[in-house]
């Protein structure tokens, strides 16, 4: 290993010794992967799950560049959602069908906020923190509607962002760049050009009128919640062509690539002299291996198809406006004077009405449960003859909460496995990174569901401020309808004693029939 690489990996190791392994890195180290390759795999997969990273490492076991300290390139984009995104995607389809493909089709609809920059693998989490800090700082002033003006020339068609909203967006990009410089020691260059959303670029001049007609059908004032998205790409293949495999291909010679449908292949057009007709030489994104492949087994793909989506920040004033309204109501109750309404207040109320319409219910399944992994006899595997719990496998939970009727009731009300706990925490971390605001949590009385809710709230830093409302109506009672018995679930008192922040005041209305009997809540807090 070169001296420079040794220093880099030593720096990574020292940093980890100070901070400790992350939740994603620790499982990979436990599997025996070296620190530098584990960090590389996490960066290449967007630091989503340890499972994805380990799969990436297994696929790249023969990658000759696996140990090379080559960082990813990152960029920040402002992307539309909702009705505006649907209209833009329809324009993409129609413009490609009527006027053939142009440069804009290579990338999804977006406004570029900064140029691509490099970041060392062990500093990627710092980029996520920088994105959150910049978003939190600018969220209150971010425009609810970004006015877009259509501009057309002989080689370009797109929307320009007007000055005032553009200044706010530029401030966000500048803040992100400053935070990245402090947290990750990276140089980020915010976009200095006029902010724009490209519709078509480098097209044939005689297609200009058709493209303009298609663009006028887009109504940029329609509902749209803008989202800042952090992407990365492999810097080695920036100027390569991207192919997508259509069929499976098994190599006939050692210098040929294995292809599976959906594989992306990077091809350098300037390095095809040694290939035979109908063949190309390229590098597989899935395996990192280089070799020959039949060109007619592939099709052209877009440049951005191989980019990795890392974290997002969605701008929303909903919670700020609701908090402001609650604060004003509280002031009136306390007898404090209420200031006269200004035009800014009117616009805020209108914005509040618009955001209320966008409220959503987020449905989450519970994490992996022990009986899914260890079968119906899982309880016998972890019980001593005197009815005590012990941990026979690392995927069993460290301990079980106390139940008044003993360990036997866990048989029909199993807990999460260790992997299930990890999945729940990752779901909470993903929600935290996405900027989604949680106001209420309802869960089935099944232990695995209450556990999932608890771990998600812990990652959101809301475990002490939001109580879990246990709602029996969410439980899958129909599974037990034909049986002779129903599961014995933990009472609210038992859940609270076990450390779950459940609401003791929540009242529910439940009409569920099982074996022609109504399930009602008993006075002692059981079901």
């Amino acid at each position: 290993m070169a001296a420079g690489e040794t220093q880099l990996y030593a720096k990574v190791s020292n940093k980890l010794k100070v901070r400790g392994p992350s939740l994603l890195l620790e499982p990979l180290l436990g599997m025996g992967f070296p620190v530098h390759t584990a960090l590389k795999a996490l960066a290449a997969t967007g630091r989503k799950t340890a499972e994805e990273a380990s799969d990436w490492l297994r696929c790249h076991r023969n990658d000759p560049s696996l140990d090379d300290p080559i960082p990813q390139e990152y960029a920040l984009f402002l992307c539309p959602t909702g009705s505006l995104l649907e209209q833009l995607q329809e324009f993409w389809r129609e413009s490609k069908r009527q006027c053939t493909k142009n440069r804009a089709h290579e990338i999804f609809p977006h406004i570029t906020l900064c140029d691509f920059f490099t970041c060392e693998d062990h500093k990627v989490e710092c980029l996520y923190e920088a994105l959150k800090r910049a978003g939190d700082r600018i969220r209150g002033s971010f425009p609810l509607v970004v006015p877009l003006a259509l501009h057309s020339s002989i080689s370009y068609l797109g929307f320009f962002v007007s000055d005032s909203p553009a200044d706010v967006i530029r401030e966000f990009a500048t803040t992100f760049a400053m935070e990245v410089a402090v947290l990750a020691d990276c140089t980020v260059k915010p976009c200095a050009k006029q902010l724009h959303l490209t519709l078509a670029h480098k097209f044939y001049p005689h297609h200009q009128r058709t493209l303009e007609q298609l663009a006028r059908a887009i109504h940029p004032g329609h509902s749209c919640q803008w989202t800042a998205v952090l992407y990365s790409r492999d810097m080695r293949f920036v100027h390569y062509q991207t192919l997508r495999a259509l069929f499976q291909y098994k190599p006939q010679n050692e210098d040929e690539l294995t292809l599976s449908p959906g594989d992306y292949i990077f091809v350098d057009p300037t390095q095809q002299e040694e290939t035979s007709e109908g063949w190309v030489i390229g590098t597989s994104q899935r395996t990192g291996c280089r070799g020959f492949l039949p060109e007619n087994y592939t099709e052209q793909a877009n440049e951005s198809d191989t980019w990795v989506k890392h974290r997002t920040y969605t701008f929303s004033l909903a919670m700020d406006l609701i908090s402001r309204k609650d604060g004003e109501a509280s002031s009136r109750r306390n007898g404090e004077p209420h200031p006269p309404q200004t035009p800014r207040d009117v616009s805020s109320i209108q914005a509040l009405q618009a955001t209320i319409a966008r409220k959503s219910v987020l449905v989450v399944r519970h994490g992996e449960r022990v009986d899914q992994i260890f079968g119906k006899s899982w309880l016998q595997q972890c019980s001593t003859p005197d009815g005590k719990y012990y941990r026979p496998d690392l995927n069993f939970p460290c301990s079980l909460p106390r139940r008044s009727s003993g360990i036997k009731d866990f048989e029909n009300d199993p807990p999460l496995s260790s992997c299930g706990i990890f999945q729940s925490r990752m779901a909470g971390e993903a929600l935290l990174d996405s900027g989604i605001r949680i106001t209420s949590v309802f869960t089935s009385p099944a232990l695995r569901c209450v556990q999932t809710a608890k771990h998600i709230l812990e990652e959101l830093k809301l475990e002490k401020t939001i109580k879990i409302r246990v709602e029996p109506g969410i439980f899958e009672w129909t599974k037990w309808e034909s049986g002779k018995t129903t599961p014995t679930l933990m009472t609210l008192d038992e859940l609270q004693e076990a450390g779950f922040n459940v609401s003791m005041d929540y009242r529910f209305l439940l009409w569920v029939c099982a074996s022609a009997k109504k399930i009602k809540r008993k006075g002692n807090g059981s079901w």
Side-chain angles (χ1 to χ4, degrees):
M1 185 180 295
E5 298 177 25
T6 304
Q7 293 175 1
L8 173 61
Y9 297 149
K11 185 177 180 181
V12 172
S13 300
N14 291 334
K15 188 175 183 70
L16 290 173
K17 289 177 182 177
V18 175
R19 298 178 58 186
S22 68
L23 293 175
L24 292 176
L25 181 60
E26 190 173 8
L28 298 176
L29 299 181
M31 297 175 191
F33 294 113
V35 176
H36 64 281
T37 56
L39 287 169
K40 188 172 187 177
L42 288 171
T45 57
R47 297 188 73 93
K48 295 180 179 64
T49 66
E51 183 180 1
E52 285 189 47
S54 64
D55 289 343
W56 186 93
L57 285 167
R58 292 188 184 96
C59 290
H60 284 257
R61 60 184 178 273
N62 296 321
D63 184 350
S65 66
L66 183 60
D67 288 325
D68 295 343
I70 303 173
Q72 294 276 306
E73 276 191 328
Y74 297 84
L76 187 63
F77 302 103
L78 190 64
C79 301
T81 64
S83 174
L84 178 56
L85 177 60
E86 292 174 0
Q87 294 180 72
L88 292 170
Q89 290 173 335
E90 178 62 23
F91 174 87
W92 249 245
R93 287 189 291 268
E94 281 300 306
S95 61
K96 188 175 182 180
R97 184 180 68 86
Q98 297 186 32
C99 304
T100 72
K101 186 176 181 179
N102 61 70
R103 281 291 296 168
H105 293 119
E106 289 286 335
I107 307 176
F108 43 81
H110 71 282
I111 297 174
T112 301
L113 298 183
C114 71
D115 296 342
F116 274 95
F117 63 95
T118 58
C119 178
E120 296 175 67
D121 294 338
H122 65 283
K123 295 180 180 178
V124 175
E125 285 189 345
C126 298
L127 302 184
Y128 306 160
E129 178 63 22
L131 175 60
K132 185 179 184 304
R133 289 187 185 184
D136 289 345
R137 185 174 301 179
I138 209 70
R139 183 186 58 201
S141 57
F142 192 88
L144 284 175
V145 177
V146 176
L148 302 173
L150 185 63
H151 172 79
S152 177
S153 71
I154 197 170
S155 62
Y156 177 84
L157 180 71
F159 289 116
F160 283 0
V161 183
S162 61
D163 293 339
S164 180
D167 290 341
V168 177
I169 297 172
R170 286 196 191 94
E171 182 183 352
F172 165 70
T174 302
T175 303
F176 171 76
M178 294 171 59
E179 293 289 351
V180 170
V182 173
L183 297 174
D185 193 24
C186 298
T187 301
V188 179
K189 183 180 179 182
C191 183
K193 300 178 182 178
Q194 183 173 6
L195 296 181
H196 57 277
L197 192 158
T198 300
L199 297 176
H201 181 45
K202 291 187 177 180
F203 48 85
Y204 293 109
H206 62 275
H207 286 152
Q208 182 179 358
R209 176 173 292 185
T210 302
L211 292 170
E212 286 179 358
Q213 291 175 346
L214 292 173
R216 291 193 184 98
I218 301 173
H219 302 286
H222 278 198
S223 61
C224 173
Q225 196 169 32
W226 291 89
T227 300
V229 189
L230 186 67
Y231 281 92
S232 74
R233 67 184 183 186
D234 194 321
M235 61 186 298
R236 296 172 297 171
F237 308 113
V238 172
H239 301 294
Y240 283 47
Q241 291 181 351
T242 305
L243 303 180
R244 182 190 294 108
L246 297 173
F247 313 105
Q248 186 172 3
Y249 178 76
K250 293 184 178 180
Q252 307 299 312
N253 300 287
E254 292 183 356
D255 58 354
E256 295 177 0
L257 275 180
T258 299
L259 296 182
S260 297
D263 282 358
Y264 289 102
I265 311 297
F266 300 111
V267 175
D268 186 351
T270 65
Q271 298 179 358
Q272 303 303 316
E273 297 85 357
E274 56 185 288
T275 60
S276 303
E277 184 177 357
W279 290 76
V280 293
I281 186 170
T283 302
S284 169
Q285 185 200 34
R286 181 174 60 86
T287 65
C289 297
R290 178 178 169 85
F292 293 94
L293 63 143
E295 189 173 12
N296 61 351
Y297 275 53
T298 66
E299 66 175 356
Q300 286 283 340
N302 295 328
E303 174 187 345
S304 61
D305 288 345
T306 60
W307 293 0
V308 178
K309 186 176 181 180
H310 283 254
R311 294 294 185 271
T312 63
Y313 189 98
T314 301
F315 295 94
S316 174
L317 293 176
M319 291 308 300
D320 289 348
L321 294 171
I322 291 172
S323 300
R324 186 183 306 166
K325 189 174 182 180
D326 290 344
E328 293 172 354
S330 176
S331 299
R332 290 194 294 272
R333 287 194 299 268
N334 295 333
E336 297 175 8
H338 181 59
Q341 193 176 71
T342 64
R344 171 66 177 174
D345 297 322
V346 173
S347 63
S348 297
I349 291 175
Q350 293 173 344
L352 175 62
Q353 294 172 344
T355 52
I356 286 175
R358 293 197 298 268
K359 279 189 174 181
S360 303
V361 176
L362 184 65
V363 180
V364 181
R365 289 285 294 177
H366 59 76
E368 178 186 275
R369 40 195 272 191
V370 289
D371 59 328
Q372 289 177 326
I373 302 302
F374 300 103
K376 294 182 178 180
S377 62
W378 73 271
L379 192 59
Q380 287 70 39
Q381 301 176 43
C382 62
S383 303
T384 61
D386 56 353
K388 294 182 179 180
Y389 173 79
Y390 75 98
R391 192 183 190 188
D393 186 280
L394 288 178
N395 202 20
F396 275 83
C398 296
S399 61
L400 295 179
R402 190 191 67 82
R403 302 178 85 140
S404 58
S405 53
I407 195 174
K408 67 180 187 304
D409 283 340
F410 286 108
E411 184 170 6
N412 291 330
D413 185 26
L416 295 177
S417 66
S418 296
C419 287
I421 294 173
F422 176 77
Q423 291 170 341
S424 303
R425 295 173 68 177
M426 289 301 98
E429 183 181 346
L431 289 174
L432 180 66
D433 291 336
S434 69
I436 292 177
R437 301 278 178 164
I438 305 297
T439 57
S440 302
V441 174
F442 298 84
T443 180
S444 159
L447 175 59
R448 57 191 177 273
C449 298
V450 181
Q451 287 179 307
T452 300
K454 176 179 183 291
H455 292 300
I456 288 177
L457 286 174
E458 285 178 348
E459 293 301 317
L460 290 170
K461 316 301 181 191
L462 297 174
E463 71 276 12
K464 295 182 180 179
T465 57
I466 294 183
K467 290 185 178 291
I468 300 173
R469 300 177 182 181
V470 180
E471 173 53 66
I474 306 177
F475 186 78
E476 296 183 39
W477 296 104
T478 52
K479 176 182 177 181
W480 305 89
E481 188 174 0
S482 59
K484 297 181 180 179
T485 61
T486 55
T488 302
L489 305 172
M490 293 181 68
T491 66
L492 295 179
D493 292 331
E494 288 176 335
L495 290 171
Q496 191 176 57
E497 181 183 347
F500 298 99
N501 187 19
V502 295
S503 172
M504 305 298 287
D505 301 323
Y506 172 64
R507 295 292 178 265
F508 52 85
L509 181 62
L510 175 65
W511 299 96
V512 180
C513 292
S515 300
K517 295 182 180 180
K518 288 183 179 179
I519 303 172
K520 297 181 180 179
R521 180 177 176 181
K522 300 178 181 178
N524 62 357
S526 60
W527 314 111

